[in-house]
DNA sequence: ACTTTGACTTGCA
DNA sequence: ATGCAAGCCAAAG
């Protein structure tokens, strides 16, 4: 299984109303520090037809919507999260309430 | 083939 | 707490 598909599997597993971070996903696929790879994979998703992957539920370690630029508009990401009752703390997601840790692969 | 960049995170000073 | 450097894997020039 490619790392990309592992990433996609994990992102798809994020429950509505929850978010996770690039770092946690990277760890889940057995690639600690490979957070950038996750971003790259999501970038591929963004310009792909994949809609099954809720990439809006992936934020950086501070809960900031660093990937909002890659959506149709920079507001879509925030709006989608708020639509799922995700609470915000300033410009970042309240991770203390909405952080979801992905299960380890294997 | 080598260098630079990217929706990132961590370590050391 | 702030600032610089390293590490991860893949894609573009």
């Amino acid at each position: 299984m490619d790392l990309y598909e592992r990433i996609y599997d994990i992102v798809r597993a994020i429950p509505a109303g929850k978010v996770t971070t690039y770092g946690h996903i990277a760890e889940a696929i057995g690639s600690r520090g490979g957070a950038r790879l996750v971003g790259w994979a999501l970038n591929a998703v963004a310009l792909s037809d994949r809609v099954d992957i809720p990439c809006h539920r992936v934020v950086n370690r501070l809960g900031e919507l660093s990937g909002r630029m890659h959506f149709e508009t920079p507001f879509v990401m925030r709006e989608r999260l708020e639509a799922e009752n995700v609470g915000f703390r300033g410009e970042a997601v309240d991770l203390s309430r909405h952080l979801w840790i992905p299960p380890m692969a294997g």
Side-chain angles (χ1 to χ4, degrees):
Chain A
M1 179 92 86
D2 290 338
L3 268 62
Y4 271 40
E5 293 194 12
R6 289 195 174 192
I7 293 172
Y8 298 151
D9 283 344
I10 292 172
V11 175
R12 269 185 300 223
I14 304 175
K18 293 285 179 179
V19 300
T20 194
T21 72
Y22 302 92
H24 281 296
I25 296 175
E27 268 193 39
I29 64 175
S31 177
R32 188 182 185 278
R36 315 179 67 165
L37 177 66
V38 178
W40 200 267
L42 292 185
N43 177 37
V45 172
L47 48 83
S48 174
D49 291 334
R50 292 195 184 246
V51 230
D52 306 347
I53 304 176
C55 25
H56 62 273
R57 295 187 191 137
V58 183
V59 299
N60 69 2
R61 74 182 185 92
L62 299 177
E64 296 171 328
L65 279 40
S66 50
R68 78 189 102 104
M69 302 286 293
H70 298 270
F71 286 79
E72 307 173 18
T73 75
F75 317 101
V76 177
M77 193 170 183
R78 168 94 179 228
E79 289 174 357
R80 284 199 188 190
L81 290 174
E82 288 183 331
E84 296 178 355
N85 295 48
V86 172
F88 276 78
R89 195 170 152 84
E91 299 185 5
V93 173
D94 190 345
L95 293 180
S96 64
R97 285 191 285 206
H98 300 287
L99 178 60
W100 176 82
I101 309 294
M104 296 303 286

